[in-house]
Structures are given as structure tokens and as C-alpha cells.
């Protein structure tokens, strides 16, 4: 009996009136875990019952503890008829299973009903006594910590980063079972919620087992998703990065990676050779469609640096022996891994050596009923195939690893697009599992790596490039080659030298598609995809140029499939990397040079574009330091001279045009206007309005060029659905509609948040879905953070200076720097973190108790504030403890849509309720914030004719305790504030 | 292309004070948008009308959802759905319960019943306040009334505790509840010059001195109902005008003390004592300027009847304020006179109801001074 779960039901408040006659309620509570149920007494005639129950004790296996949610049902007792359910609370007790997380869950939870929403609150206390279980063959993985954060959590240090873990479980969707025809919507929703809760528990446990197998103790960058495949079932899948983390409370030495020589990755039972793959794919012609699409992928790669080409990654000339050696080391460390993928987007210093570019793969599949839920090979094989593709793309870029890796799906009827993307990279093997690298090599290696630009240097062979690209010597160190543009899916490395500020760049695209069935449909989609990729990238590239920038971070391309259209939405944060060359302008070339008015029109457009670029450069403060001719004159390989010319010329701002024509059509900067479509494209480039002054936006964790955040943050979710007029829809009209939708949404956000100016929208995350034929739904979640304007002006300089300074410091200091920061800042802290936490935690509990006693609520006890943010940090504060992962799934349904304020009223209320439930769970864990919060799914369906609507929402994040820096200063007198400033303000230093 | 659905939900609920005011004032979304456009917000922010429309809708939806909670403000503090900083919560509540002077003057002292609610249409037309806003204000009055009506303890404290209003607003509501409960007439033409503040001031004095709570803080309804026993006893004061000797003595005491100090001394002297005729019954509605003392004492003596309680303010105006005003008494003279008038009674040896007199006159003096203006 490895664990004892104890639950106490204290009280309820604000219960709904269940008895119309008395305007009161006779409430009691059922507490269920696994198959055991306890009941409280009935508390007669009260809307604020005080049950004060005994401790209900469940003796359970820890496997169950991980899988099962605690289910609390509040009911109204009825003597004559069946008891009426008021609502339920599901509590995930996982956080109680790690030693370092929460020790008790105690607080007020909203009582939730899938039909009525929140109906009052209930005060519950939950504890777990775990007995040590040394059984080797156990099925549970208690003790493995999970983090949604895609960087090493702030109060931990990564000893080893093991690598990729993945798992998926499938089941039948209760909504599609035969029984659903006879049960109530409520029962159906609850069955679904419960099933998904169970499945995520199971999934987490299984991933935990894999981590333990790899000798890790944590999963970072844990991303769990649901695929609602309708008839064919329900898939819950998760990916993450297994790590061995050390808590930073002890000033431990910087340990080398632990030497576990013969640690072969156990062959995952889930990955079968393709020949074993499933009927469905093999038999269907879609399989070939997939294949052809994937090959097309290569051809798509031309204009950007992203997709792969052929070419194997032999050592670059400049890299010399170290690079080669490094490659060998990394290779050996990574090659035994099936998938050298990392879901992290920010890394410990020194971890990321080079970045190759974005790699991505998509595959169109036809869904088929999952026949045996216990053997989900089909889905596993699908993903394995895609990952293999990604791996080979990375190889082609001369990289052995993929960072910032993520997977997603888009489903419409029986067609499913699976997508995976990441950034090909060369990593420092020191952090990887088989870190056998000798210290001296390490040192030399890092000496060789200039800070602030090292990651930009090309990992692939210059003479054997995977795709046409212009290489130049790095503008920062002048030693190695860099590409002219860099696209990545990761966050901007903290030490990167950046000029000016960054900005959100989006490419938006729609393509109409004929309605078709099954295979024909899948083939049609497969055929459209490469063109969409191509156009999305062209758009991104053009918009990047228009901004006068040369790199994209946090790139996320989402392709959504609908009945009669495909939508592509790419979001990224553009920046100007000091290491890369200045981008050239955009050149318009007309096809019919004889027509005078046409010519005039073209030159007019050209002028507009040039003006926009100039304006943007000013807006984003892009004024790179002048580069002396001498440096530029350094040996540049032949084929690049022309582009060189262009650049130096465009650097001197205004007079662009003539020369560029010479290097003509091969260059990506030239837009050819050969038909009206192209004209439209150019127009749409210019319609993107910059945010109003005082506003910046990005989709990464931090805004390049701003690092003086104040503590005011506002996380929000905004949802918009538009109905297209169905008549004569053309691609152009569709594009315009979609573009307007996104632009108007952004405008609304800027307006709503105007009181926060100067402010930056960070981690802007757009999700597109096509719930019906003529409907487009866009969901945005982001956080607005205010910053101090006065300091903002100086940031560029200091940033560059800082990185230069850092560059000059020798490697040892460089490596130890963040570590010292932490060991400096933590030990003198009079309270060890654990203690600080109990202080924090005491408040909600005490408050709860206090409220229990005083029945009539009095004015001064308010609900504690819980912050939510999609970022991994809280500006102006220090995270002292991670309390566990929050992963919640809710369904809300209504049959009185009009009465609830229509679709907007319904969804508005539901999202507010979801926020409330997340906050309540965090508060009950003793936390005061959720970081790395993400709304992974928001599936909204309506049937206005029947006055019905249904919505499913899935959110996750990390519950944490944070302490304001100002408070910290009061506590610890010895600690110089300067030390903790860079730690938190940038949210960047990973330890 | 139409927006089917358009929402914005913040972790901290966004409250736009200007939009809240428009919502409280009962404007429809389109009216509110029009008003916001006129305020020049589009020029300031560079937003479009569509953005403004969407923003206004969002706020209205939020307020609509909050309204249920605002009906029981402690719920707003304890609810978990909307995360709102305490200062904002206070603002929401305070503004929600705030009322328009024009409106409150229309319903003050009326029974807060369905019947009155039906008249809101007329009130809306008369005052120019939207019907929606009138309803909100009326329902607020009624809600507060229902909650505190039967409660023990101080009226103001009860209101403050159950509605979390500021001290000022709680006092105003106490006055509204007190007036509604006692149904004081405030709508008569001659009362029109009085502001809500005037009545609220009187209400507070009366609550402090004339209710059950003034003597015993452990009874129900202590602050809302007048002390019946006290009203009963007030009849005893009649002796002050009925007994000729007492009246003369009282007059001479007042006159002696005020001689030379009052600019209107002769008028006062003439008015103090009634003419011999018509001493017994009140001659209603005909100003009896020569009879200040008789008027004040008669008002006291009649308060045992509910109807006369309702007409208290009408009587005070007729019996005291108007006569003085017609003689152009300066406010300071009124004060001197009332002080002396109340105080001199202590020197009347034959008069046994000194405490009763003080309880009555103390409050009345305060009220009269407040009511005495143009």
C-alpha cells in the first residue's frame, strides 16, 4: 500500500438555491478516488454549509495516485427523488507526489458544472502520505517533476539534459460511444472530462517511467495535447525533455556530467519499423501522398534557410579541428538517441553552439478508428515517421540535434495534418548524457566560441551548402561564416548581440480547396501544402526585410485544415542580429516595362516600400554600427560579392534601386509583379499597421531590446470568430478577410491595453481553427508587460556593451557567471527557500480557516491574487518554488445560448471560469502564480438554431511561488540588488 | 465578413471607468459607442469605430456578469471568477450604488413597492435619467432596504457591512431607508427647495435621537422605526403652550436673553406668543406667523399619528420656516432664537419634562437650522 490519500471537506459557500420552496439547499459531498467513495453528512438548509468532515482516507497504489484525479461532487439531498448534482471539482493530486512541491492542497475550489458553469465554492484539504517503495518494476513514476516551462526552471540547475521523451495514449471518445445517445449531456461531458483527466495522468506516469529509465528526475518543456479525432477516438500525446535537475538551494559545485558509460537508450517499444506500421497507412494511397509531399518539402526550402537540402555535415573550414571534434563528441552523444530532440527554447549558457535553421515536416493522414486502445501503433508510427524526417533534415543542415521542437495536429473530419518543427542545432555535449568530454577540450572549445554571435555561425559546410544562401563573415567576430538571414523556433539566446528592438511578424495565408472525401481530400491537401509553405515563407521573408531585420525567433507555422480551405499562420519575432549582415531592401520588378503608367505605379510602390523600411528602422531603433571598409574588404568568397554590394549600398539608406536590378531574379529580395496576385501580395505587405506608439509585441519570452520590465502584467485571452460571406469566395478575398481579422484583433488588443503604455505584448500566441465551413476562429493568448520608458532608451547600448564585455571575459568566468549569480543570491537568503514558501503558503490556508469560522463574510478578507503568464518568469520577482504542473481540461455546454448572452457571452463566461479554476488550484497548492501558462485548445461549436453551444478548453502551466524582488531586498540585507536584477528582469538566465 | 464572436478576457478583469459610467447611466451599447466617439477617444488613440464597438461590448458583457455579484457586494469580494484588485472592487461597488440627486428626490419617502416602480417611467421622463438607470437606482434602494430593514444594530453599520459602501454613501442609504420606512412626505411643492442632503441630515439626527436604537441598541428595527413611546410622551409638551403662565414665562425668558442680540427681535417677540384665539387646534395650511412656539409644540404633540409623522417636514416648513422667512430672519437669528428657546425651558420650574424636551428640541433645532435656507 504505497500511499494514503486523506481528504477533508471543510465548507461550502455561495451555493446555488436548489430548493425553490425554501430558497435554500441541503448539500452534501461525495468524495471519490478510484472506486472508493465517501460521503459527508447532509448540511440542511444552507447556502454556506459547514461540513467540517472527518478525514476521508483512501489507501491506494501510487500508480493510481498518478493516474486518477480526486473527484469531489457536491449534491443537493432530496428525500423523495434522486439527489441533484450541484457540480464537481477534480483535483489533480500529482503535485503532492514530489518531495519538493506542495505538501498540502487546501483552499476554496469553484464547484463546476458542465451545464451551469461555476456554482459556488467548496473548501477542501488534501494530503498524501507516501510510503517508500523500492520495487524496481513498479509502474509508477512518482517523484519525477514536470515543468511546462521550456527552459531550465529558475531555481534549478541542469546537471544533465537527457533528451526527448514522448508518449501517447488513445481511447474511444465517450461522446461517440453508443451510450451517449441515452445519457444526458452532463453525464457525457463528465465522462469525457474524467477520461481525459485519467489519460493525462496515465500519460504523465508513462513519461515519468521513461525519464526514470534515462536516470533523469524531471521533464522540462512538457507539452501535452489532445487530438479529438471524433469517431476514430481520442488521442492524448505528450513530448518533453528529460533532465536531471539540481535544486539551487545548495551552493553545489559545477559538477561534470555524470559518467554513466553504458547507458544505451532502451529501445522504445512504441517505435516500430515502418513495415510493422498499420494497415490504415499502408493500404491507403495517402501514404504515397505523404511521401511525395515530404519530398516536395525539399524543394520548398529555396528562399529561406529553413528546410533542408541534401549535403552531409562535414566540418567547416573555419571551424577547424575543434569544430570537428565537437561534432564528433556531440555526434557520439546524440547518435545513440533515437531522436536527438529538445523541447527547450532557452538554454543554459554554452549549451547551444550553432544554429542551422528551422526544420519542419508535415504529413497528411486519414484517420481510422483505433481498434485496440492498448496498442496505439498507428499514431506512434505516424509520429515516428515525421520525427525521422525532422532528424534527417537536421542532419542535412550539418546538425545533430533539434531544439525548440514541437508537434501539432490539425483535424477536419477524417483528415489529419501532423506537423513537427524545430531548429537544427549543434549542441555542447557537456550537458548531454554521455558527457565524456575532457575539460581542456571544453575550454578550448569555448574559447573558440565568441559570445553573442557563436550560435549564428553556420554549422554546415560552406562548400557544400544544403541550399543556396549568401554567406558572409560574421559581423561580430569576423572569424566565421554566417548566413544572411536566420530563422529559428527558439527564443533569442540571452547573450545574443541585438541591434534595436524586435517585433512580431506574421504571415497569413488562405487557400481554397474543393470539398472532397477521404483520400481525394487528403491528396488535395497534400498537393496544396508545399505551395502554402512556400508562400508563407516568402511572406515572412518579405515582411522581415520590410522591418529592416535579419532574423526570426520563435517561429511557429500553423497550418489548419477546414472543409473547404487551408489556412496558414506563421508568427515569429523579428530582430536585427548584430552578427548578421544588414538586410537589403525589397526590390520590385515589373513584367511589362513598356507601359508608362504601369512603370509609374511600380516606382510609386517601390517608394512606399522604401519609406516603410526607413520608418521601421527608426521605429525599432535599428541603427547598426558603421562597419569600416577595411573589415568589409576582408576576403569574401567570389559568389557573394554582388550581394555584398547590395548590402553596403542599402546600408547607406535611401538611394537603392538601380544596382539591385543587376543581380536580379535569383535574389530573394526581388518581388516580381507579374500578375494581379503578386500585386495583392505587395499591397498586403504594406497594409500591416505598426502598433501604436508605446506598444511593442513579440511572440518570444522576452522582447529584444527591452529589459527594464516593471511588475505590472496582464495575461489575457481573446477569441474572435468571423463568418465569411459564402458567395464567390476567392483566395484573394479570403486572404484579405483573414488578414483583416488578425490585424483588427491586434488593434483591439492595443486599444484595450492602452492604459499600460509603455508596454510590450509578449508571447503573443495566435491559434487558428476552422470550426465550420464559413467560420474562422482566431484565439490569442499573450501577456502585456509594462516597462520603464526612461531606461528603455538606453537598453540597446547596454545590451551590446554587455555582450561585448561578456565576450571579453574568459570562458571560465563566462560559464560560471550565471551560476555564481545564483549561488550568490541564494545562500545569504536568511530563509531557505522551503521556509519562505511555508510563509507564503500559510496565507491562503490561514485565510481559508479564518473564513470557515466567520460565517458571514466580512469586508477585509479578499481572495489572494494569482498571477498568470505565458512566460517562464515574473518580472520584478523571483520564483522560489515550483509546486507542480497544472493541466486542466474543461467542457462547457449550454442549451440556453441566447439567455447566456449568445456565443460571446457564453464563451466569455467560460474562459473567465477557466481562469478562475486555474487560479483556485494554484492558490490551493500554496502558489501565487502560474508561469508558462498556455491554452492548448479552445474548441468551440455552436448551433444557434437549437440555442446550443459547446466548448472544450485545455490549459496548462507551472504553479509557482514567487517573491517580489523588493520584498527580497528587505529580507536579505547582504544581497546586492544588482545581482538579482539580470536574473529576473530578462527572465533569461538559465541555470 | 461579420464578427460572430468577439471576446477579451484578462486574468485581471479590465474595468474602464468611463464605460462603466456609461453602462450605469443606462446607455445602450450603440449610444455608449456614440458618446465615446464624441469624447474624442478615436483621435487620441488612433482606434477605429469597430474597435470601439468591440471594446464597449466586451465591457458591457463584463459589467452584466458582475451585476449579479454587485447585488451582494461581499460576494464580489469572495468570488473567484473575476480577479479584480480591491481598490477597483470598491470603485465598482461605490459607483453601482451611487444615485442621482434628481432621482432620489423623486422617490425619497415613497414606499419602495411595485407601484412606485411603475412610476419610474414618469420619473425618467421628468429627470432625463434613463429608465434603466432609474431601475438600477430604485432596485438598489429596495435591496438595501430589504436587507437592513429588520436588522439589529446601527443602520449605517449594517449597510456598510452588507454593501461595503463608503461611510458617506452608507449614511445616505441610511437616510433613504429611514425615509422609506417612515414614509416622510418630501414631494410637496413647498418642499421642493430642499436637497437630498437636507433630508439626509435630518434623517441622521432623527435616527440618532428619536428611534428605538437611541435608547436601546438591542431591539430589532432599532434604527428604522421611531420610538413610539417617545412619540406618545411628546403630548406632554403641550403644557408649554396650554399653560398660559408657562408660556409667558418661557417667552419672557427668551426675550430677555435675546434682547439686543436679534435683528428681528420685535418680530420674534410678536410671533412667540399666539393670539388668544384659536389656541387649541392647529389651523392647518394657514400660516400662523405669530405662533412659533405653538407650532413647534403642536408638531410634537401630533407625532403620535402616523399621518402626521409623514407630514413632519411639511409642518416644519409651514409652522416655522415659512413664518421666519417671510419676516426675513437671518439664519444667525434663527440659530440664536432656537438655542435660547430650547435652553430657556430648563428655567421653567413648573415644567417636568426636561429630558423629553431636550430629546425633541435637540433634534428639531438641528433640522430646522438645516431646513432654513432659500
Amino acid at each position: 500500500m504505497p500511499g494514503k490519500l486523506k481528504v477533508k471537506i471543510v465548507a461550502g459557500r455561495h451555493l446555488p438555491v436548489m430548493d425553490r420552496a425554501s430558497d435554500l439547499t441541503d448539500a452534501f459531498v461525495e468524495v471519490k478516488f478510484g472506486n472508493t467513495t465517501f460521503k459527508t453528512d447532509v448540511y440542511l438548509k444552507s447556502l454556506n454549509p459547514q461540513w467540517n468532515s472527518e478525514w476521508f482516507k483512501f489507501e491506494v497504489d501510487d500508480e493510481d495516485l498518478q493516474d486518477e484525479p480526486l473527484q469531489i461532487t457536491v449534491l443537493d439531498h432530496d428525500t423523495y427523488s434522486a439527489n441533484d448534482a450541484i457540480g464537481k471539482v477534480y483535483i489533480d493530486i500529482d503535485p503532492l507526489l514530489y518531495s519538493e512541491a506542495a505538501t498540502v492542497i487546501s483552499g476554496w475550489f469553484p464547484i463546476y458544472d458542465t451545464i451551469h458553469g461555476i456554482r459556488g465554492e467548496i473548501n477542501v484539504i488534501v494530503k498524501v502520505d507516501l510510503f517508500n517503495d523500492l520495487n524496481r518494476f513498479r509502474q509508477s513514476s512518482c517523484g519525477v517533476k514536470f515543468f511546462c516551462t521550456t527552459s531550465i526552471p529558475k531555481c534549478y540547475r541542469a546537471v544533465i539534459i537527457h533528451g526527448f521523451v514522448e508518449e501517447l495514449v488513445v481511447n474511444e471518445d465517450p461522446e461517440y460511444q453508443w451510450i451517449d445517445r441515452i445519457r444526458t449531456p452532463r453525464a457525457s461531458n463528465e465522462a469525457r472530462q474524467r477520461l481525459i483527466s485519467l489519460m493525462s495522468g496515465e500519460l504523465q506516469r508513462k513519461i515519468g517511467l521513461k525519464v526514470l529509465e534515462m536516470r533523469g528526475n524531471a521533464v522540462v518543456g512538457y507539452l501535452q495535447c489532445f487530438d479529438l479525432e471524433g469517431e476514430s477516438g481520442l488521442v492524448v500525446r505528450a513530448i518533453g525533455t528529460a533532465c536531471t535537475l539540481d535544486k539551487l538551494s545548495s551552493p553545489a559545485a559545477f559538477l561534470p556530467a555524470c559518467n554513466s558509460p553504458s547507458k544505451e537508450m532502451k529501445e522504445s517499444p512504441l517505435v516500430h519499423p515502418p513495415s510493422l506500421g498499420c494497415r490504415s497507412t499502408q493500404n491507403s494511397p495517402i501514404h504515397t501522398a505523404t511521401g511525395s509531399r515530404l519530398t516536395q518539402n525539399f524543394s520548398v526550402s529555396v528562399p529561406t534557410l529553413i528546410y533542408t537540402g541534401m549535403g552531409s555535415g562535414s566540418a567547416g573550414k573555419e571551424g577547424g579541428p575543434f569544430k570537428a571534434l565537437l561534432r564528433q563528441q556531440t555526434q557520439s552523444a546524440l547518435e545513440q538517441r533515437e531522436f536527438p530532440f529538445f523541447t527547450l527554447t532557452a538554454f543554459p549558457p554554452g549549451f547551444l553552439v550553432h544554429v542551422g535553421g528551422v526544420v519542419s515536416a508535415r504529413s497528411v493522414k486519414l484517420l481510422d478508428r483505433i481498434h485496440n486502445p492498448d496498442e496505439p501503433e498507428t499514431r506512434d508510427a505516424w509520429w515516428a515517421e515525421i520525427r525521422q524526417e525532422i532528424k534527417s533534415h537536421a542532419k542535412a543542415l550539418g546538425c545533430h540535434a533539434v531544439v525548440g521542437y514541437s508537434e501539432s495536429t490539425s483535424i477536419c473530419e477524417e483528415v489529419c495534418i501532423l506537423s513537427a518543427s524545430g531548429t537544427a542545432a549543434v549542441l555542447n555535449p557537456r550537458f548531454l548524457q554521455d558527457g565524456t568530454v575532457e575539460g581542456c577540450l571544453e575550454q578550448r572549445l569555448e574559447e573558440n566560441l565568441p559570445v553573442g554571435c557563436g550560435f549564428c555561425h553556420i554549422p554546415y559546410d560552406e562548400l557544400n551548402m544544403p541550399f543556396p544562401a549568401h554567406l558572409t563573415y560574421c559581423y561580430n567576430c569576423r572569424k566565421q561564416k554566417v548566413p544572411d538571414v536566420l530563422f529559428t523556433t527558439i527564443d533569442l539566446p540571452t547573450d545574443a548581440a541585438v541591434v534595436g528592438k524586435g517585433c512580431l511578424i506574421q504571415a497569413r495565408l488562405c487557400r481554397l480547396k474543393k470539398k472532397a472525401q477521404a483520400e481525394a481530400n487528403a491528396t488535395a491537401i497534400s498537393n496544396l501544402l508545399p505551395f502554402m509553405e512556400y508562400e508563407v515563407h516568402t511572406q515572412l521573408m518579405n515582411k522581415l526585410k520590410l522591418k529592416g531585420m535579419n532574423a526570426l525567433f520563435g517561429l511557429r507555422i500553423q497550418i489548419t485544415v477546414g472543409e473547404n480551405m487551408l489556412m496558414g499562420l506563421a508568427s515569429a519575432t523579428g530582430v536585427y542580429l548584430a552578427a548578421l549582415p544588414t538586410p537589403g531592401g525589397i526590390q520590385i520588378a515589373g513584367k511589362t516595362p513598356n507601359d508608362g503608367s504601369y512603370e509609374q505605379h511600380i516606382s510609386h510602390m517601390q517608394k512606399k516600400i522604401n519609406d516603410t523600411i526607413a520608418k521601421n528602422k527608426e521605429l525599432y531603433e535599428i541603427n547598426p554600427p558603421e562597419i569600416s571598409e577595411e573589415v568589409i574588404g576582408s576576403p569574401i568568397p567570389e559568389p557573394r560579392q554582388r550581394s555584398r554590394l547590395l548590402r553596403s549600398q542599402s546600408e547607406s539608406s535611401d538611394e537603392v534601386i538601380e544596382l539591385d536590378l543587376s543581380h536580379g531574379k535569383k535574389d530573394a529580395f526581388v518581388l516580381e509583379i507579374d500578375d494581379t496576385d503578386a500585386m495583392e501580395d505587395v499591397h498586403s505587405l504594406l497594409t500591416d499597421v505598426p502598433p501604436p506608439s508605446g506598444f511593442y509585441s513579440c511572440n518570444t519570452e522576452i522582447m529584444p531590446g527591452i529589459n527594464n520590465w516593471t511588475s505590472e502584467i496582464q495575461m489575457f485571452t481573446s477569441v474572435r470568430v468571423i463568418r465569411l460571406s459564402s458567395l464567390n469566395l476567392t483566395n484573394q478575398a479570403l486572404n484579405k478577410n483573414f488578414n483583416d481579422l488578425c490585424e483588427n484583433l491586434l488593434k483591439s488588443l492595443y486599444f484595450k491595453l492602452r492604459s499600460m503604455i509603455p508596454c510590450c505584448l509578449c508571447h503573443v500566441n495566435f491559434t487558428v481553427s476552422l470550426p465550420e465551413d464559413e467560420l474562422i476562429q482566431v484565439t490569442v493568448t499573450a501577456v502585456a508587460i509594462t516597462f520603464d520608458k526612461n531606461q528603455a532608451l538606453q537598453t540597446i547600448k547596454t545590451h551590446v556593451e554587455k555582450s561585448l564585455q561578456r565576450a571579453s571575459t574568459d570562458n571560465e568566468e563566462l560559464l560560471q557567471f550565471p551560476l555564481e549569480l545564483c549561488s550568490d543570491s541564494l545562500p545569504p537568503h536568511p530563509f531557505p527557500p522551503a521556509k519562505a514558501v511555508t510563509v507564503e503558503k500559510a496565507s491562503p490556508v490561514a485565510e481559508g480557516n479564518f473564513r470557515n469560522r466567520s460565517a458571514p463574510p466580512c469586508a477585509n478578507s479578499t481572495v489572494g491574487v494569482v498571477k498568470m503568464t505565458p512566460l517562464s518568469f515574473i518580472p520584478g520577482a523571483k520564483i522560489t518554488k515550483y509546486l507542480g504542473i497544472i493541466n486542466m481540461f474543461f467542457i462547457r455546454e449550454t442549451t440556453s445560448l441566447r439567455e447566456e448572452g449568445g456565443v460571446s457571452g457564453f464563451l466569455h463566461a467560460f474562459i473567465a471560469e477557466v481562469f478562475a479554476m486555474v487560479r483556485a488550484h494554484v492558490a490551493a497548492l500554496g502558489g501565487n502564480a502560474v508561469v508558462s501558462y498556455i491554452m492548448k485548445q479552445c474548441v468551440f461549436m455552436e448551433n444557434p438554431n437549437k440555442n446550443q453551444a459547446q466548448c472544450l478548453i485545455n490549459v496548462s502551466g507551472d504553479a509557482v511561488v514567487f517573491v517580489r524582488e523588493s520584498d527580497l531586498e528587505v529580507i536579505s540585507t547582504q544581497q546586492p540588488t544588482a545581482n538579482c536584477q539580470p536574473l529576473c528582469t530578462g527572465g533569461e538566465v538559465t541555470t | 465578413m461579420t464578427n460572430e464572436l468577439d471576446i477579451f478576457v484578462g486574468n485581471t478583469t479590465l474595468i474602464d471607468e468611463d464605460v462603466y459610467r456609461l453602462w450605469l447611466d443606462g446607455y445602450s451599447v450603440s449610444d455608449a459607442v456614440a458618446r465615446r466617439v464624441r469624447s474624442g477617444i478615436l483621435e487620441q488613440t488612433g482606434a477605429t469605430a469597430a474597435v470601439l464597438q468591440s471594446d464597449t461590448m466586451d465591457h458591457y458583457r463584463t459589467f452584466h456578469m458582475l451585476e449579479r455579484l454587485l447585488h451582494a457586494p461581499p460576494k464580489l469580494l469572495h468570488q473567484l471568477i473575476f480577479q479584480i484588485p480591491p481598490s477597483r472592487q470598491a470603485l465598482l461597488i461605490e459607483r453601482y450604488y451611487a444615485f442621482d440627486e434628481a432621482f432620489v428626490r423623486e422617490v425619497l419617502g415613497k414606499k419602495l413597492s411595485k407601484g412606485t416602480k411603475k412610476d419610474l417611467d414618469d420619473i425618467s421622463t421628468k429627470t432625463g435619467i434613463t429608465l434603466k438607470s432609474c431601475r438600477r437606482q430604485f432596485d438598489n434602494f429596495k435591496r438595501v432596504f430589504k436587507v437592513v430593514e429588520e436588522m439589529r444594530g446601527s443602520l449605517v453599520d449594517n449597510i456598510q457591512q452588507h454593501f461595503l459602501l463608503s461611510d458617506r454613501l452608507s449614511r445616505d442609504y441610511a437616510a433613504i431607508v429611514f425615509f422609506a420606512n417612515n414614509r416622510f412626505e418630501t414631494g410637496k411643492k413647498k418642499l421642493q427647495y430642499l436637497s437630498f442632503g437636507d433630508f439626509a441630515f435630518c434623517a441622521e439626527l432623527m435616527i440618532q435621537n428619536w428611534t428605538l436604537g437611541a435608547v436601546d441598541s438591542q431591539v430589532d428595527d432599532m434604527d428604522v422605526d421611531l420610538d413610539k413611546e417617545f412619540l406618545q410622551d411628546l403630548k406632554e409638551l403641550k403644557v408649554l403652550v396650554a399653560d398660559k403662565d408657562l408660556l409667558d414665562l418661557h417667552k419672557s425668558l427668551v426675550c430677555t436673553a435675546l434682547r439686543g442680540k436679534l435683528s428681528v427681535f420685535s418680530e420674534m417677540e410678536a410671533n412667540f406668543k399666539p393670539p388668544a384665539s384659536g389656541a387649541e387646534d392647529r389651523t392647518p395650511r394657514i400660516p400662523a406667523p405669530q405662533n412659533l412656539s405653538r407650532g413647534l409644540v403642536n408638531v410634537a404633540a401630533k407625532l403620535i399619528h402616523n399621518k402626521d409623522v409623514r407630514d413632519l417636514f411639511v409642518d416644519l416648513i409651514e409652522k416655522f420656516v415659512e413664518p421666519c422667512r417671510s419676516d426675513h430672519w437671518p439664519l444667525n437669528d434663527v440659530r440664536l432664537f432656537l438655542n435660547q428657546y430650547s435652553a430657556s425651558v430648563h428655567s421653567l420650574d413648573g415644567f417636568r419634562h426636561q429630558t423629553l424636551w431636550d430629546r425633541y428640541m435637540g433634534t428639531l433645532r438641528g433640522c430646522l437650522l438645516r431646513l432654513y435656507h432659500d
Side-chain angles (χ1 to χ4, degrees), chain A residues 13 714-723 737 752 754 857 859 861 866 868 903-904 908 916 919 942, chain B residues 1-12 16 52 54-55 58 61-62 65 77-78 80-81 83:
Chain A
R13 67 180 183 198
Q714 165 73 289
M715 189 281 298
F716 59 85
T717 292
S718 186
V719 184
R720 264 191 199 188
V721 176
I722 57 160
R723 186 175 290 280
N737 277 332
K752 282 204 170 288
R754 64 192 185 283
S861 66
V866 175
M868 291 169 75
V903 285
S904 295
H908 191 149
R919 288 192 301 258
E942 55 168 323
Chain B
M1 185 181 89
T2 48
N3 277 2
E4 280 275 298
L5 184 158
D6 178 8
I7 57 159
F8 174 99
V9 190
N11 182 38
T12 305
D16 186 310
L52 207 58
S54 140
D55 180 67
D58 246 334
R61 230 180 356 255
T62 308
M65 285 189 262
L77 263 66
H78 292 278
L80 303 176
I81 298 178
Q83 185 159 276

Side-chain angles (χ1 to χ4, degrees), chain A residues 769-797:
Chain A
S769 53
L770 300 163
E772 273 172 53
D773 270 16
E774 276 112 33
L775 295 184
I776 304 178
Q777 176 190 331
V778 175
T779 310
V780 187
T781 298
V783 62
I785 312 181
T786 55
F787 60 89
D788 191 336
K789 193 152 199 176
N790 300 328
Q791 289 172 44
L793 300 171
Q794 309 161 5
T795 50
I796 327 140
K797 270 187 202 161

Side-chain angles (χ1 to χ4, degrees), chain A residues 597-609:
Chain A
S597 67
Y598 185 73
E599 202 89 306
Q600 204 177 355
H601 182 64
I602 294 279
S603 70
H604 176 67
M605 295 273 275
Q606 181 69 57
K607 188 176 178 311
K608 252 171 112 178
I609 286 179

Side-chain angles (χ1 to χ4, degrees), chain A residues 289-344:
Chain A
T290 307
S292 72
R293 205 211 55 72
L294 289 171
T295 24
Q296 276 161 353
N297 213 359
F298 286 82
S299 65
V300 165
S301 64
V302 183
T304 61
L305 286 180
I306 12 187
Y307 288 135
T308 61
M310 300 306 165
S312 73
S314 64
K317 199 168 65 185
E318 268 78 22
F322 297 126
K323 210 168 179 178
L325 194 47
L326 165 69
R327 184 157 287 125
Q328 269 170 26
Q329 295 287 353
T330 326
Q331 205 152 8
S332 65
L334 288 169
E335 238 159 36
Q336 44 188 291
R337 268 160 240 250
E338 186 160 27
F339 297 115
F341 298 169
F342 300 86
T343 54
L344 303 180

Side-chain angles (χ1 to χ4, degrees), chain A residues 21 120 136 219 306 586 695 754 798:
Chain A
R136 265 186 58 113
V219 181
I306 12 187
I586 295 176
F695 263 112
R754 64 192 185 283
T798 52

